Amino acid sequence: MADEKEKKIHEYGWLNRRVYPTLYYDSTDTVYVNLIMKLEYEKLTKTEFFRAIVDGFINDDKHITAFIEEYKETKQVDNKRSRRMIKKEREKVEEIDKKFSLSPEDIENIFDLIDGGEVDV
């Protein structure tokens, strides 16, 4: 059990221990309780939930990206021009990905070649 905990700490870093508690300072007790109840219903821990959301956000998960775009539009975060430019950039990235259809492993191998390292085949 201790090895698993150390592995998680090493993988995600010590910063996690300080970040998660601060997420609740801006919320009311009702919001926090609703979050906990919903997580229990979905059989998720807070850590799993936040890790999944952050991972999806960083890796441009289409569902999370669509949610963020809708949220920014609804709450008028950023201006329309900027949101439109970001959306165009995402579409271009998607178009390039489809055009070259490189898998994440292929991209990793390309970076390994650039770095002068060995390529996994």
Side-chain angles (χ1 to χ4, degrees):
M1 177 89 179
D3 290 333
E4 185 178 318
K5 187 175 181 181
E6 287 178 22
K7 181 181 172 187
K8 285 184 180 180
I9 289 172
H10 177 71
E11 183 179 351
Y12 296 103
W14 286 99
L15 184 61
N16 269 354
R17 293 175 176 229
R18 287 183 255 170
V19 171
Y20 289 133
T22 60
L23 294 173
Y24 308 115
Y25 289 133
D26 293 338
S27 300
T28 63
D29 289 341
T30 306
V31 171
Y32 181 72
V33 168
N34 288 339
L35 171 66
I36 297 303
M37 287 173 42
K38 186 73 172 180
L39 288 172
E40 283 184 22
Y41 178 78
E42 295 291 337
K43 306 287 191 262
L44 289 171
T45 65
K46 288 182 286 190
T47 303
E48 288 172 322
F49 173 75
F50 286 112
R51 220 175 260 152
I53 297 299
V54 170
D55 184 57
F57 182 70
I58 290 171
N59 293 314
D60 291 324
D61 180 279
K62 291 178 185 178
H63 302 293
I64 293 176
T65 301
F67 171 78
I68 295 295
E69 287 175 2
E70 184 179 322
Y71 175 83
K72 286 171 65 175
E73 188 173 326
T74 303
K75 299 291 183 176
Q76 297 181 348
V77 175
D78 212 353
N79 59 45
K80 285 183 181 181
R81 182 176 180 269
S82 179
R83 290 193 309 260
R84 201 170 43 244
M85 286 175 54
I86 290 170
K87 189 172 184 175
K88 273 187 178 179
E89 287 176 4
R90 284 192 179 123
E91 289 170 355
K92 284 181 183 179
V93 166
E94 195 173 305
E95 182 181 317
I96 290 170
D97 285 347
K98 285 180 183 177
K99 186 175 183 178
F100 293 107
S101 66
L102 295 173
S103 70
E105 293 82 24
D106 293 336
I107 294 169
E108 186 67 34
N109 287 338
I110 291 170
F111 281 114
D112 287 344
L113 283 172
I114 292 169
D115 288 341
E118 294 184 20
V119 177
D120 298 332
V121 180

